[in-house]
Amino acid sequence: MRLHHLSVTAFGPFADTVAVDLDEVGRDGLFLLWGPTGAGKTTLLDAVVFALYGRVPGARGEEKRLRSDHADAATRTEVTCELTLGDERLRVVRRPEQQRPKKRGEGWATEQAKLVLSRLTDGGWEPVSTRIDEGSEHLRTRLGLDVHQFCQVVLLPQGDFARFLRAEPEHRAELLRTLFDVDRFARAEDWLAEERAAARERTAAHRAQLSTLLARVAQIAEVEVPEELAPELAGAAPGARVVPWVEEVRATAARRLAAATTQADDAAAEVATVDAALAAARALEERHTRRDQAVRGLTALEQRESDLTPVRAERDAGRRAEPLRDVLRSAGAAALAAERASDALTAAVAGWTPVSGGRDASTTVARELRDQAAEARALLPEVERAAALERSLAALDRDVDELTERCAAGERAVAGFPGRLAEQEDRVARARAAAAELPALRAALDAAAAALAAGRAAEALDGQLTGLREDARSRREAWADAREHWLDLRGRRLDGMAAELAAGLADGEDCPVCGATEHPRPAAHVGARVTAADEDAARARADAEEAAHAGAAARVEAAERELAGLRARAGDLDVAAQAERVAELTARVRDTGEPAAGLAAAEAELQRLADEREAAVTRLAADREDRRARGAERDARAAGLAELTARLATARGEDAALADRVARLTAVADACELVVTAETDELRARALADSARRVAEERAEAAGFDDVLAAADALLEPGRLARLDRELDEHDQRRALLRDRLADPELADLPPRPDIAALEDRCAGGTRRREDAVAALQQARRCTAALADLVGRVTAAELQLAELRDWTDQVTALADLAHGRGANARRMRLQSFVLAARLEQVAEVASRRLLDMSGGRYTFLHSDAQGRHGARGGLGLDVFDEYTGMRRPTKTLSGGESFMASLALALGLADVVTAETGGVRIDTLFVDEGFGTLDAQALDAVMTVLDELRRGGRTVGVISHLEELRTRIPTRLEVIAGRNGSRLAG
């Protein structure tokens, strides 16, 4: 990596744009970045880091204040860096997020961060990326260093390495972790710790599982777990008697199972004998019960026989009358029908007599009445048509009256249109004339207003110009005085330069002019002494006065140019005359604009009136035509209505309405037909009733009844005969059945009743004993089966626990070793061991440069001893003193020796990190501060090492505020601080 060019704008203390050509200042391979404390030397290095990584290193990056407080609000903070990475020359332009004034309105807007990455080709700069993430990844890939490694390898901050040199091992590890990737070793430590915890958890879980199994064995076998197999001791160590104890418990359970089997078999045999005796006794008791029930039932049936004699007689009469049921029912129905037909005939005659007109009811009379009703019904639609004609005539009368009024109104409207059209045409003509005149008036008004504004501005600027000229004159005089004062101080300092050089001479030291070590007559000051600071202050004041005078003169010149332009635009008239002309033109524009503004509305109104007149004429002609047509239609319909009304009056006769006549004739015809039908029905019903009565009398006599009434009384209600048959048949059948049952040999000659209760008590006792024996047997069987399964599970759990115990011991030992415990005698963690190896490489590389810087006295020695109070070791760092032959802590080095050791460490660490990251070549290095602690001899040794660094084309930049380095390093870049921000000298 080689830096070529750096440009910063509004960054840190730099208010304006500052550009550094690193190829030019580093042409000799070594240059000095010099300036007083706080001037902004380190800010230039921050700008390089910001361009490449988008952040500022160290504590300065925590505040995120990159923008210069001296910069103008319109200036954007920006860093541009050109560098070569590998075989690519890149240009990086980066802006941070910053605030800028809003383009419209007041306030501030946030401008987002920006990155533009370009590549130099034969055709010029071509873009690589404008996205921050993509461009940053492109740079990181080619740099091969993260921001921490870059700051330690390229910038070499001596303050950090001085603290690193004196730090305790655990603090030294923090810096090494930022430079060397030991994450995979840390992950290995974490993984081992997790595996150790997981193995212990699995072992504890299996111990708990084994304890649970043992408790289950004890619960099933109803025994106590031995003390040596308690939950807190089970499986804790190999050799426990878990399996023998479980086998002993299972054997005891097997013996209990055999005894329970024998007891269950004996109880079952006893219960079988008692059950057989109880069954025989219950059978004999059941035969006694059946015989007693049969005797009681037969006695009850024989006692009821006398009550069933009337029932048997009722059943016989009903059975004889049942075949006559249909004949009797037909005779009764025929008699009722004859009575109803007689009543209907009487009612029909009573309804016909009032409307008959003295005529007898007959089919001929009814037909004549129906014909007259049909003729009247045929004319009913003509009644509705007559009503519709009357409504239509009324509507036509209203239409004719309305059209007559509309025609009169239309004639009046058409007569008024010529005057209205003429008046509107006059308005349109006036508006068109005003619209044609208005543009010229407005142009004249704009020109007059511009001249008036220019005239007023010229008067105001003419008054300000006097003050600006007076300010320019006073500033020119102040500049002349300051320049004269500076030149005077410069001459006086040149006169006393020899005395100033002599003030720095010391016996035995070389003269910077002649090189002599003896100084017999050093020059002395004559008069007041002028120092370089006095001269620089006077020169700065002169420069400031010159800049102020240039600004004032520029303001006067700009005001004069502006005044000439304003007077040219104002013209020859004075401001009062121009104001009168503007007022006059404004009034004319207002008076002309009002009618001109109404031109479109006036033309639209004129067109509307013309269209309205045409529509009124058209409507009037249409209304006149409609009035004539409606009048003719009304006359035709009136004639038709008169003819139809006369015909309907003839057909209605004496009735009030034609519908009333139809209803009356229809009702009379219905009454006549009802009398004729009733006479026919009465005659037929009477004949049928006589015939049915004769048949019923003949059938009743044949069935043995005295008359029809006796046969009807003997009839039973439906279902009654069947119920009587079932009741008597059931009585007879039950009596025969009980007689047969008592004659059965099984119920004859029975022995005495047995004692069932005693037998049941004996059987219940035997059953309880059998159930207890069976329950004990089942319990023994379950216990034996469960113990058989648990013995296998306990054996497997014991074996698995032994394997887990061995694995846990191995993982624990390895995890303790990686974490600096257990067998790790040095108490060094795995990642500390890796960092110790890197530190040993750094010490070896740094020792070669420290040996050169210290004149062959000091070399670095890596120490893996434990720290104070038993702290973990591995990152100790000492120096070996060749003068004494003793190993010394780095804290015992003096200030200059510490600087040399820190620089050697920084350079050695840079070499190791470079090799670690894949051998990225670093062609530009910066060494920041620390030279003030060196004497002349040590400084020579350090400068020799820096000279060696620039071999092979490498550029080394030294950042310092020491005056002595300005004489040792001819190529330098000077940063000057001021009240308005920092800048580069020259």
Side-chain angles (χ1 to χ4, degrees), residues 535-555:
E535 181 186 354
D536 291 341
R539 184 179 61 180
R541 180 182 177 189
D543 292 343
E545 294 294 343
E546 182 182 6
H549 168 258
R555 289 192 292 272

Side-chain angles (χ1 to χ4, degrees), residues 2-123:
R2 178 180 292 278
L3 298 176
H4 301 288
H5 185 271
L6 178 66
S7 174
V8 297
T9 302
F11 190 87
F14 299 100
D16 299 322
T17 300
V18 174
V20 179
D21 189 349
L22 294 173
D23 289 336
E24 177 64 23
V25 299
R27 62 184 180 276
D28 295 332
L30 181 65
F31 70 93
L32 174 65
L33 182 57
W34 187 90
T37 301
K41 304 184 296 299
T42 306
T43 301
L44 295 176
L45 305 186
D46 291 345
V48 174
V49 179
F50 174 73
L52 298 180
Y53 293 95
R55 53 176 295 187
V56 175
R60 298 182 301 278
E62 297 177 0
E63 294 297 329
K64 298 183 180 180
R65 285 181 54 85
L66 304 179
R67 180 169 175 80
S68 175
D69 294 332
H70 303 286
D72 182 75
T75 305
R76 300 289 176 268
T77 298
E78 181 178 279
V79 176
T80 302
C81 181
E82 293 183 19
L83 71 160
T84 296
L85 293 177
D87 56 353
E88 280 187 330
R89 178 155 179 167
L90 302 174
R91 181 175 65 190
V92 184
V93 180
R94 192 187 290 268
R95 288 183 177 182
E97 181 181 292
Q98 52 193 305
Q99 299 288 322
R100 61 167 177 81
K102 290 185 177 179
K103 296 181 179 179
R104 295 181 180 178
E106 299 180 354
W108 297 83
T110 300
E111 186 174 288
Q112 298 300 320
K114 180 180 179 182
L115 172 64
V116 178
L117 180 63
S118 306
R119 179 192 298 113
L120 183 62
T121 62
D122 295 338

Side-chain angles (χ1 to χ4, degrees), residues 389-430:
L389 286 174
E390 290 178 353
R391 292 191 298 271
S392 177
L393 280 175
L396 288 174
D397 289 338
R398 291 193 299 270
D399 291 344
V400 169
D401 295 340
E402 181 181 355
L403 288 172
T404 301
E405 294 178 358
R406 286 169 57 183
C407 288
E411 290 172 354
R412 291 192 298 270
V414 169
F417 271 108
R420 294 171 63 190
L421 286 171
E423 182 180 354
Q424 189 61 31
E425 287 173 353
D426 183 58
R427 291 196 191 95
V428 170
R430 291 197 302 272

Side-chain angles (χ1 to χ4, degrees), residues 53 55 58 145-153 175 178-179:
Y53 293 95
R55 53 176 295 187
L145 303 170
D146 60 24
V147 63
H148 300 289
Q149 294 173 328
F150 182 85
C151 292
Q152 300 295 340
V153 172
L175 175 61
T178 64
L179 301 178

Side-chain angles (χ1 to χ4, degrees), residues 9 11 19 80 140 177 281 326 356 372 388 425 434 516 545 607 632 638 656 695 711 730 793 821 874 984:
T9 302
F11 190 87
T80 302
R140 190 198 63 78
R177 287 192 185 94
D326 294 339
S356 63
Q372 294 174 5
E425 287 173 353
E545 294 294 343
Q607 182 63 38
V695 171
E730 286 177 359
R793 293 171 62 186
R821 293 190 293 268
L984 296 181

Side-chain angles (χ1 to χ4, degrees), residues 274 575 876:
V274 175
V575 175

Side-chain angles (χ1 to χ4, degrees), residues 315-328:
R315 183 184 66 175
D316 293 340
R319 183 170 293 161
R320 286 185 291 110
E322 187 63 29
L324 304 178
R325 182 181 295 276
D326 294 339
V327 175
L328 295 175

Side-chain angles (χ1 to χ4, degrees), residues 508-788:
E509 294 185 358
D510 297 340
C511 176
V513 179
C514 64
T517 58
E518 297 180 358
H519 318 293
R521 292 186 303 279
H525 284 284
V526 177
R529 180 181 178 182
V530 178
T531 64
D534 296 335
E535 181 186 354
D536 291 341
R539 184 179 61 180
R541 180 182 177 189
D543 292 343
E545 294 294 343
E546 182 182 6
H549 168 258
R555 289 192 292 272
V556 170
E557 183 180 356
E560 290 176 346
R561 288 197 301 270
E562 185 179 358
L563 180 59
L566 291 173
R567 287 176 175 172
R569 291 197 298 273
D572 299 333
L573 295 177
D574 57 10
V575 175
Q578 289 173 345
E580 292 178 358
R581 177 166 175 75
V582 168
E584 179 185 355
L585 289 174
T586 301
R588 292 183 60 188
V589 167
R590 183 177 61 252
D591 296 340
T592 306
E594 292 178 357
L599 175 60
E603 290 177 342
E605 180 64 17
L606 179 61
Q607 182 63 38
R608 189 189 66 79
L609 287 175
D611 295 342
E612 187 177 350
R613 182 186 63 179
E614 184 67 23
V617 172
T618 302
R619 284 197 303 272
L620 178 59
D623 290 342
R624 288 172 176 172
E625 180 63 25
D626 288 346
R627 184 180 61 181
R628 184 193 62 77
R630 292 299 175 87
E633 183 180 358
R634 182 190 58 185
D635 296 340
R637 291 192 178 184
L641 177 60
E643 180 184 355
L644 181 58
T645 300
R647 186 153 57 94
L648 290 176
T650 302
R652 186 171 61 246
E654 297 179 355
D655 293 311
L658 189 60
D660 296 340
R661 181 176 178 79
V662 171
R664 182 179 63 78
L665 291 176
T666 301
V668 173
D670 291 340
C672 181
E673 290 177 350
L674 185 59
V675 171
V676 173
T677 303
E679 289 176 348
T680 304
D681 292 341
E682 193 272 338
L683 181 60
R684 185 183 302 111
R686 191 169 58 251
L688 291 175
D690 293 341
S691 174
R693 181 176 51 77
R694 287 193 299 272
V695 171
E697 290 175 350
E698 294 173 357
R699 295 282 298 277
E701 184 179 356
F705 293 101
D706 295 338
D707 53 21
V708 175
L709 294 178
D713 292 339
L715 280 177
L716 299 176
E717 62 183 9
R720 171 67 176 170
L721 180 61
R723 287 195 298 274
L724 293 177
D725 286 339
R726 284 197 302 273
E727 181 180 358
L728 295 174
D729 292 342
E730 286 177 359
H731 175 79
D732 297 339
Q733 290 174 1
R734 289 181 63 190
R735 185 173 58 179
L737 179 62
L738 291 177
R739 287 174 179 173
D740 293 340
R741 185 176 298 172
L742 290 175
D744 188 356
E746 186 179 6
L747 300 182
D749 299 331
L750 294 178
R753 290 180 179 271
D755 189 356
I756 299 297
L759 290 175
E760 287 179 348
D761 293 340
R762 181 183 173 190
C763 183
T767 301
R768 284 194 297 272
R769 288 190 294 275
R770 182 190 63 181
E771 290 175 353
D772 293 341
V774 170
L777 177 61
Q778 294 297 329
Q779 176 65 23
R781 286 174 178 172
R782 286 195 298 269
C783 178
T784 303
L787 288 176

